[in-house]
Amino acid sequence: MAMLTIVGWCLTFVHVSFVAIYFYLTWYHKYWDKRGAITAEPLTILGTYPGILVNKSRSLILDVQEVYNKYKDKYRAVGTFITRQPQLLILDPALAHEILVDKFSHFRDTITSSFVGHNPEDKYVERSPFFSSGEEWKRRRTENVGGLTPNRLKQAFAIWEQSGRKLVEYIERARREKGDVIETRDLSYRFTADTMADFIWGIDAGSLSGSVGEIASFQKVSTDWTVYAFSSIIRFNKSLVATFVRKLFNMRIFTKASDEFFLRLTQDAVNLRRGGSGEGRTDFLSHLIQLQERGNSIHDSVGHALVVHLDGYETSGAVLYHMLYSLSEHREEQEKLRSEILDALASNDNISYEQLNALPYLDQCVNESLRLTTPIGFFMRICTKATQIDLGNEKILELEPGVTVMIPAFQYHHDDAFYPEASEFRPDRFENGAASAFNKRGIFLPFGDGPRICLGMRVGQLSVKTAIFHILSNYLVEQTKKVPLGADTGLGIFLNGDVELKYTKLRK
Ligand code: HEM
Ligand SMILES: *[C@@H]1O[C@H](CO)[C@@H](O)[C@H](O)[C@H]1NC(C)=O
Ligand SMILES: *[C@@H]1O[C@H](CO)[C@@H](O)[C@H](O)[C@H]1NC(C)=O
Ligand SMILES: *[C@@H]1O[C@H](CO)[C@@H](O)[C@H](O)[C@H]1NC(C)=O
Ligand SMILES: *[C@@H]1O[C@H](CO)[C@@H](O)[C@H](O)[C@H]1NC(C)=O
């Protein structure tokens, strides 16, 4: 008898729990209906994109693609649920442009800014504009971009030039020791590690100067750190289902070990520079030291350094190997680009910052690569001030503060309606300054747009352009085998596997 009662109680408890969890998860599901917007189907108790919670091998970008394809021709925006939170998916790029640019004051914050604050020990991440909000964001951003002005990059251009020459020397050594075929993902990250270490900390990362194939400690820490940071962003998105777990598990975006490594590195770099080494050099370190003289702490400097390093190393490296892969596949385009580069070199041994940025076809090829790769495939913004969204068909949606919107840049970039044969690498699309028109229509957003546009846009472009310039002026780049595109658990769709390209020295 007593036994039965216990079983009975247990069963009741289990049922009540399930019902409670069910209500917790589906609490808001009528949210969009009540406000006159369409709710994207199918809707599960885990939201519109259950993949972010259950299927590890599936990127959110594919789930978004399904919803996008289904509704894009009929609606300007549809209601979705990121786990249990309502989110508006913007299908019409014109509406995306409006949100990012014209209505910025209503959508000031990014979702990532809600990821920090619960864990005071994660002190460098909250110093990044990417992860901060409101006035704090503005101050951090202004301080950071002061170190990345065109004028400063021009003065620091010798760093990129030197990295370009080291890259060619490294390729030469690799060819001598291991043959003409070089894994190009590795090669690309070696280059971006080298430029960032020198620009930010004034050191040689050892990624191009060490022995072939060896991974120097700077690059090893950087890779572990970026991999952890990007996977954290995914973990935090998952935790939207119950945000209190962030505090419960003391979730972090940067690891303690990497924080300590970069603190020591920055301290040493500041001391060395103050002691006279590299005196008079204009780079990011000299900017950090100026800020410290005006009252910033060493921790502020580490924070700023890591902002530049995160994407200057990882995202720019990703764009570079995708671009090299596309050029190896498209020989005609590679030849056209090479002749532009060799023409620029005909009158001078070295190229200047201005000349490099004024090469029109190089710019087109970079933009086409950015479009195809779209390493940051979607942006989420929080509505910070109530506003109206014109849904079309004379329907106006009243959007309230706290609700988020998703802008699926990857989907716009891969839509045949905007870019005929969108999966093809065709730099001619960007002839005659077409980019600015695409940008105004909201269909070309590799760096986002509006006041929160990527603050390192010029740095990323500079790294990619410099590497391409040095490689194409010295080597013919050929494909040895196809690499499939795959959506991993990461933030996009990338070449999935080793990128083995063949480098043949050009006769001069
Ligand atoms: C080619 C490489 C790069 C690409 C494709 C890229 C792309 C983007 C995109 C799409 C955004 C906007 C996200 C949003 O609106 O939510 C963004 C923001 C940002 N990027 Fe980049 N980025 C690149 C390189 C860099 C570099 C080199 C840096 C640092 C120097 C950097 C620092 C940032 C920061 C701090 C933000 C946040 C800005 C803010 O919220 O005010 N990025 N990036
Ligand atoms: C997970 O996603 C992969 C890749 O899209 C798919 O092939 C697989 O069937 C999915 N698994 C489940 C259990 O949904
Ligand atoms: C090109 O740059 C290198 C390295 O800074 C320098 O040694 C060389 O003299 C320069 N050549 C010309 C023609 O300016
Ligand atoms: C490429 O894109 C950038 C930034 O989006 C833009 O400033 C530039 O003019 C574009 N260039 C070309 C050739 O389309
Ligand atoms: C997580 O959210 C951020 C916030 O905008 C977004 O950029 C990122 O792509 C999301 N990633 C995944 C895998 O959910």
Side-chain angles (χ1 to χ4, degrees):
M1 190 63 198
M3 191 64 192
L4 274 181
T5 321
I6 292 171
V7 171
W9 274 109
C10 287
L11 282 175
T12 314
F13 179 74
V14 167
H15 274 101
V16 170
S17 309
F18 270 119
V19 170
I21 290 171
Y22 177 83
F23 275 111
Y24 178 75
L25 290 172
T26 59
W27 191 251
Y28 297 116
H29 279 187
K30 290 269 174 287
Y31 186 89
W32 296 114
D33 286 350
K34 283 187 199 154
R35 287 163 181 79
I38 299 291
T39 303
E41 295 291 338
L43 178 60
T44 73
I45 61 161
L46 298 177
T48 313
Y49 315 114
I52 62 172
L53 285 172
V54 294
N55 193 343
K56 272 197 172 307
S57 62
R58 184 167 167 112
S59 166
L60 176 55
I61 217 150
L62 294 175
D63 291 339
V64 175
Q65 187 72 53
E66 275 173 26
V67 178
Y68 179 83
N69 291 347
K70 195 158 156 190
Y71 294 98
K72 71 171 176 127
D73 294 325
K74 295 182 224 81
Y75 302 98
R76 296 190 78 200
V78 285
T80 64
F81 294 88
I82 289 273
T83 70
R84 63 194 283 271
Q85 309 279 349
Q87 178 170 83
L88 193 67
L89 176 67
I90 309 300
L91 301 168
D92 181 352
L95 193 52
H97 184 265
E98 192 180 313
I99 288 171
L100 292 172
V101 183
D102 313 319
K103 283 200 167 161
F104 174 72
S105 62
H106 298 264
F107 296 94
R108 284 177 58 120
D109 294 340
T110 49
I111 278 204
T112 38
S113 57
S114 68
F115 292 178
V116 296
H118 64 279
N119 186 349
E121 278 170 25
D122 210 355
K123 56 182 179 289
Y124 298 132
V125 79
E126 65 181 22
R127 286 177 159 84
S128 163
F130 198 72
F131 293 100
S132 50
S133 55
E135 285 307 306
E136 190 62 16
W137 159 73
K138 200 167 192 173
R139 197 173 62 77
R140 301 272 176 218
R141 182 173 169 116
T142 311
E143 273 189 5
N144 200 291
V145 291
L148 307 170
T149 59
N151 193 32
R152 185 172 286 264
L153 292 182
K154 186 181 151 189
Q155 291 183 58
F157 183 56
I159 292 171
W160 273 267
E161 265 297 281
Q162 196 191 5
S163 294
R165 278 190 297 272
K166 281 161 83 180
L167 174 64
V168 171
E169 284 159 19
Y170 182 87
I171 295 176
E172 259 331 280
R173 280 190 290 134
R175 290 172 71 243
R176 257 198 324 268
E177 291 171 27
K178 306 224 158 117
D180 292 348
V181 177
I182 301 176
E183 205 284 295
T184 298
R185 228 174 8 181
D186 174 70
L187 187 69
S188 300
Y189 287 126
R190 283 175 185 277
F191 175 78
T192 52
D194 188 82
T195 51
M196 288 303 108
D198 199 1
F199 177 59
I200 303 170
W201 291 284
I203 59 159
D204 181 349
S207 53
L208 292 173
S209 52
S211 22
V212 171
E214 192 180 275
I215 306 285
S217 68
F218 175 83
Q219 201 182 343
K220 169 130 192 23
V221 176
S222 301
T223 306
D224 293 348
W225 165 68
T226 51
V227 167
Y228 189 84
F230 283 105
S231 69
S232 297
I233 293 180
I234 296 164
R235 277 189 292 124
F236 274 82
N237 285 1
K238 291 185 182 189
S239 67
L240 281 172
V241 74
T243 46
F244 61 85
V245 305
R246 294 172 185 167
K247 197 159 175 65
L248 197 65
F249 293 110
N250 245 343
M251 282 168 73
R252 293 178 66 119
I253 294 191
F254 293 169
T255 63
K256 205 164 165 205
S258 67
D259 277 2
E260 280 163 9
F261 177 89
F262 289 116
L263 171 62
R264 234 177 308 122
L265 182 65
T266 310
Q267 255 163 347
D268 289 350
V270 168
N271 291 341
L272 268 173
R273 183 65 57 87
R274 283 192 166 145
S277 139
E279 210 175 348
R281 229 173 89 124
T282 303
D283 51 16
F284 201 69
L285 182 60
S286 66
H287 176 65
L288 293 179
I289 290 176
Q290 274 172 12
L291 290 175
Q292 278 186 229
E293 278 158 8
R294 284 189 239 132
N296 266 8
S297 69
I298 183 76
H299 298 304
D300 294 324
S301 291
V302 180
H304 282 310
L306 292 181
V307 167
V308 180
H309 190 39
L310 184 67
D311 294 282
Y313 171 59
E314 162 58 43
T315 317
S316 309
V319 174
L320 178 55
Y321 74 79
H322 281 84
M323 181 161 177
L324 284 164
Y325 182 79
S326 293
L327 288 169
S328 74
E329 198 164 46
H330 293 85
R331 291 285 298 282
E332 211 175 292
E333 284 78 2
Q334 182 182 151
E335 283 313 322
K336 185 169 171 186
L337 180 53
R338 179 174 297 108
S339 61
E340 180 180 84
I341 290 171
L342 293 178
D343 280 354
L345 277 175
S347 51
N348 204 330
D349 279 353
N350 292 339
I351 187 147
S352 68
Y353 177 76
E354 289 88 349
Q355 279 173 314
L356 183 69
N357 282 312
L359 296 178
Y361 196 64
L362 177 57
D363 208 28
Q364 285 174 228
C365 289
V366 171
N367 282 356
E368 179 66 345
S369 291
L370 285 167
R371 180 189 70 82
L372 273 178
T373 314
T374 318
I376 301 188
F378 40 90
F379 335 130
M380 296 185 202
R381 292 298 165 84
I382 304 176
C383 174
T384 42
K385 198 161 99 194
T387 184
Q388 297 184 326
I389 300 276
D390 180 358
L391 292 175
N393 307 322
E394 298 180 358
K395 274 202 183 134
I396 302 286
L397 172 70
E398 303 282 343
L399 206 64
E400 53 187 1
V403 175
T404 63
V405 301
M406 180 197 275
I407 293 174
F410 182 92
Q411 274 68 33
Y412 304 157
H413 290 177
H414 289 83
D415 192 329
D416 288 327
F418 307 137
Y419 298 99
E421 295 177 76
S423 58
E424 292 294 309
F425 178 78
R426 294 223 309 250
D428 287 350
R429 300 179 206 277
F430 288 96
E431 247 169 9
N432 305 319
S436 87
F438 289 159
N439 202 249
K440 283 200 190 81
R441 290 168 59 197
I443 61 173
F444 185 57
L445 303 168
F447 295 105
D449 208 349
R452 272 198 110 125
I453 194 169
C454 176
L455 62 73
M457 185 165 106
R458 285 192 209 92
V459 176
Q461 286 167 330
L462 182 58
S463 295
V464 173
K465 285 182 174 180
T466 309
I468 295 286
F469 186 91
H470 283 271
I471 289 177
L472 289 201
S473 58
N474 285 285
Y475 301 99
L476 175 68
V477 185
E478 291 169 291
Q479 214 163 74
T480 58
K481 66 172 203 286
K482 288 239 176 269
V483 186
L485 283 170
D488 55 9
T489 50
L491 303 178
I493 295 187
F494 298 103
L495 289 170
N496 202 349
D498 286 352
V499 183
E500 307 275 5
L501 302 182
K502 183 174 164 202
Y503 293 80
T504 309
K505 188 94 185 152
L506 296 168
R507 266 171 293 147
K508 291 248 168 116

